[in-house]
Amino acid sequence: MPEMGNTTPSNSSTASTRTVLLLFRVLTFVFLLIALILIATLKQTDDDTAVQVKFSDFYAYRYMISTIIIGFAYNLLQMAFSIFTVVSGNRVLSGDGGRLFDFFGDKIISYFMISGSAAGFGLTIELGRGVPSNSFTDKANASASLLLIGFLFTAIASTFTSFALPKKAN
Amino acid sequence: MPEMGNTTPSNSSTASTRTVLLLFRVLTFVFLLIALILIATLKQTDDDTAVQVKFSDFYAYRYMISTIIIGFAYNLLQMAFSIFTVVSGNRVLSGDGGRLFDFFGDKIISYFMISGSAAGFGLTIELGRGVPSNSFTDKANASASLLLIGFLFTAIASTFTSFALPKKAN
């Protein structure tokens, strides 16, 4: 029964890997939370016309906030699973099912996060051209940067969960 | 000696996986070639002012063309390796080294490709707002779409090469 988790020979290495993964997920969660606050509160009022510009006026920022929320929800779920594991001593998804969930979860969510960050940066750099540095573009860049850092953590986590995959041909 | 490639029990499944992977890489190569031509020839002249706008006037498109070229070069290399394998009967990078190269290559290149595509889409949708559909935004969208399709193939290839990874704890 090699899928029992706690009876595999690589038990201690698996446990430390899980600790590192949890650390990455907590950090990603925190970065995404700040990124979410920054982008959601993004607004600027034109001094002359009193027209207010918000994140929701731009498709790229709306997509970016979607990817932040997706990443946020995924990391919350993974953290909940980890806490359940610590409290109850059992994994929610054990064996191959859990490893496949981690692998595809990290992979797909990390693609969402990098695409949101790239869309945000791509728009902000054009919006900021020819105008002096202002709090609008600064906040948008900060949010996209935090999303990018969150992506990097998730991409590293994804590498771990790829190596933890069950072998295709047993 | 489980790393001899041709002597592993999963030989036939490995061979068919390699054929599918090669097909994905050829398709990605073709899509990226068309995407590259479309974005590189992107230009529009204003009828009134005779000012010409090109892809290189926008940072997002410059980043996008970089990611297309990176993906193009990577797929060219992988195709050259495959042709060498067919001709000589030996893999250029055999065993664990080859599998790690494929894994990290597919993973990193696919992240570049999705980020380039997202940056391109994010800018094009803002450039096209309020103006009627024109050949500039149509070509830019077509190029980003082809890059996105190329990304999807690479992401699927990346899933294959993740499952083909050597187990961490032997």
Side-chain angles (χ1 to χ4, degrees):
Chain A
M1 300 279 279
E3 302 308 344
M4 292 284 281
N6 284 337
T7 57
T8 54
S10 58
N11 183 27
S12 66
S13 109
T14 309
S16 65
T17 304
R18 277 215 293 268
T19 311
V20 173
L21 278 179
L22 180 60
L23 181 71
F24 282 161
R25 296 196 204 287
V26 172
L27 285 170
T28 307
F29 183 82
V30 173
F31 282 121
L32 290 186
L33 185 64
I34 306 170
L36 187 62
I37 294 167
L38 283 174
I39 194 79
T41 60
L42 191 71
K43 68 175 102 177
Q44 191 161 28
T45 310
D46 191 294
D47 293 335
D48 301 323
T49 61
V51 172
Q52 201 180 53
V53 179
K54 288 185 297 183
F55 84 89
S56 54
D57 295 327
F58 301 97
Y59 287 110
Y61 291 150
R62 278 198 250 169
Y63 178 70
M64 189 173 141
I65 209 168
S66 311
T67 63
I68 293 174
I69 292 169
I70 290 169
F72 189 78
Y74 173 74
N75 279 285
L76 195 64
L77 185 73
Q78 284 280 11
M79 281 159 56
F81 281 0
S82 294
I83 291 165
F84 178 85
T85 304
V86 171
V87 172
S88 74
N90 293 308
R91 296 204 67 192
V92 179
L93 290 165
S94 59
D96 284 1
R99 285 187 215 127
L100 288 174
F101 175 80
D102 287 350
F103 168 70
F104 283 108
D106 287 340
K107 191 169 187 66
I108 293 167
I109 302 299
S110 63
Y111 283 136
F112 271 114
M113 287 164 73
I114 180 86
S115 67
S117 180
F121 273 124
L123 176 61
T124 308
I125 204 161
E126 292 303 331
L127 289 180
R129 274 172 91 169
V131 295
S133 177
N134 59 66
S135 72
F136 188 88
T137 52
D138 286 352
K139 273 176 82 172
N141 272 328
S143 181
S145 304
L146 287 166
L147 180 55
L148 187 66
I149 298 169
F151 153 73
L152 286 175
F153 283 125
T154 309
I156 297 167
S158 170
T159 308
F160 275 102
T161 51
S162 299
F163 276 98
L165 271 177
K167 259 209 149 142
K168 209 168 152 193
N170 276 317
Chain B
M1 298 280 276
E3 302 308 344
M4 292 284 281
N6 284 337
T7 56
T8 52
S10 57
N11 183 26
S12 65
S13 108
T14 308
S16 64
T17 303
R18 278 216 292 269
T19 311
V20 173
L21 279 178
L22 180 60
L23 181 71
F24 282 160
R25 296 196 203 288
V26 172
L27 285 170
T28 307
F29 182 82
V30 173
F31 282 121
L32 290 185
L33 185 64
I34 306 171
L36 186 63
I37 294 168
L38 283 174
I39 195 80
T41 60
L42 191 69
K43 69 174 102 174
Q44 190 162 29
T45 311
D46 191 295
D47 293 335
D48 302 324
T49 60
V51 172
Q52 202 180 52
V53 179
K54 287 186 296 182
F55 84 90
S56 54
D57 296 327
F58 301 97
Y59 287 110
Y61 291 150
R62 279 198 250 169
Y63 177 70
M64 189 172 141
I65 209 166
S66 312
T67 63
I68 294 175
I69 291 168
I70 290 169
F72 190 77
Y74 172 73
N75 279 285
L76 196 64
L77 185 72
Q78 284 280 12
M79 280 159 57
F81 281 0
S82 294
I83 291 165
F84 179 85
T85 305
V86 171
V87 171
S88 75
N90 293 310
R91 296 205 67 190
V92 179
L93 290 164
S94 59
D96 284 1
R99 284 187 216 127
L100 288 175
F101 175 80
D102 287 350
F103 168 70
F104 283 109
D106 286 342
K107 190 168 187 67
I108 294 166
I109 301 299
S110 64
Y111 284 136
F112 271 115
M113 286 165 72
I114 182 88
S115 67
S117 179
F121 273 125
L123 176 61
T124 309
I125 205 161
E126 293 301 333
L127 288 180
R129 274 173 92 170
V131 295
S133 177
N134 59 67
S135 72
F136 188 87
T137 52
D138 285 352
K139 272 176 85 173
N141 272 328
S143 182
S145 304
L146 288 166
L147 181 54
L148 186 66
I149 297 170
F151 153 73
L152 285 175
F153 282 124
T154 309
I156 297 169
S158 171
T159 308
F160 275 102
T161 52
S162 298
F163 276 98
L165 272 177
K167 262 211 145 139
K168 209 168 154 193
N170 277 318

